[in-house]
Amino acid sequence: MVRVTNRTMTGSCFAGVKVTLDVEQAAERSVHVADDFIDLRDRDRDDEYMREELANEQWVAELTKGALRGVRRALMQYEYRTGPLRVVLVKHYLHIVDSGYGAVSSGASLAVQAAIALLPHRMVRDWVTFTEAGPVVRLANPVDAEVGITDAEVVIEVTPAAERAVVLAEDFAADVTAPRLDAADLARIPDIAVAAAHAALDKHEERVGPLRLTLLGHRPHQAVPWSLEHQYGGALDDGVRMAVEQLEFALAEQAG
């Protein structure tokens, strides 16, 4: 078990917000909240305003909801590294200026990420196939409409190659529908996805060398026309990061 407090969010209006939590590996994911999670640092010395804040059950519930959202967002993005985790929200001391839903959500998310970095990491074997030509990783970026930062889901296949290549599968866009997109919007997505794949490879590829990335399929879900570049950029950045990490494990195992 590790106990972690998020780093100071320097340069943001959340700088005074700290969230402390306990994280440990478990048979299945669970998230818990300590009874006194939202608290005052010094109940005897804090002024009446802060005591009123703590007594405001609706405000405390809102802050707790934000923390839970941040935990779920971080688990969605990074829990694959460790396997299922048990998370306990231990403490957030009310800050007279900075405490708020978004601030506590961000603090909790950063704390979970920091905790995951301290725990043993693993290869997700369901995503990796070993072939005579080398390991192949196939996966989709995680999507959760309630806590995620992207609605777009992209399935990719990644394998080491002599030189970089980004390939669109023939059926990449087959049977794709989206409630907020029309035919012209859907027609833009393949080019957007290719550009996003190259940007993600620019960021992550150097860890393992040149890669062949095949864009196998996608689902826009609730993506909207004016943010397709952002949505697919986030989806491919997550997916390529995850694939590269799995390739690092696979290549090390294959080497010996």
Side-chain angles (χ1 to χ4, degrees), residues 171-224:
D171 58 350
F172 173 72
D175 301 321
V176 173
T177 59
R180 300 184 178 185
L181 304 177
D182 61 22
D185 297 322
L186 291 172
R188 294 170 49 212
I189 290 175
D191 288 341
I192 290 171
V194 169
H198 278 293
L201 289 170
D202 288 343
K203 185 175 177 180
H204 302 290
E205 186 181 49
E206 65 180 4
R207 294 169 58 176
V208 291
L211 297 172
R212 176 185 173 87
L213 187 158
T214 304
L215 295 158
L216 297 174
H218 76 102
R219 291 291 181 271
H221 297 296
Q222 297 298 317
V224 292

Side-chain angles (χ1 to χ4, degrees), residues 43-148:
R43 289 173 180 255
D44 294 326
R45 296 184 62 185
D46 277 304
D47 60 26
E48 185 64 26
Y49 172 78
M50 294 300 291
R51 288 193 289 274
E52 289 177 359
E53 289 281 278
L54 184 62
N56 185 335
E57 294 182 0
Q58 184 176 354
W59 179 235
V60 169
E62 182 75 2
L63 295 179
T64 303
K65 182 179 178 181
L68 289 168
R69 186 181 192 277
V71 168
R72 290 197 299 269
R73 183 172 66 248
L75 292 175
M76 178 190 72
Q77 288 189 286
Y78 300 106
E79 190 180 37
Y80 69 89
R81 291 174 172 170
T82 59
L85 296 173
R86 181 179 190 271
V87 180
V88 180
L89 287 161
V90 175
K91 189 68 66 178
H92 166 63
Y93 291 116
L94 286 172
H95 189 280
I96 193 168
V97 175
D98 293 346
S99 287
Y101 180 95
V104 175
S105 180
S106 295
S109 182
L110 288 172
V112 172
Q113 292 177 48
I116 287 174
L118 297 174
L119 293 169
H121 291 188
R122 59 162 191 167
M123 180 167 66
V124 184
R125 294 192 176 274
D126 289 347
W127 296 347
V128 181
T129 301
F130 289 94
T131 72
E132 292 185 0
V136 179
V137 176
R138 180 179 292 198
L139 55 79
N141 63 291
V143 175
D144 185 328
E146 292 187 3
V147 301

Side-chain angles (χ1 to χ4, degrees), residues 15-33:
V17 169
K18 297 291 184 182
V19 177
T20 299
L21 44 78
D22 291 338
V23 180
E24 60 184 335
Q25 292 172 296
E28 60 182 22
R29 178 195 294 185
S30 62
V31 181
H32 309 270
V33 182

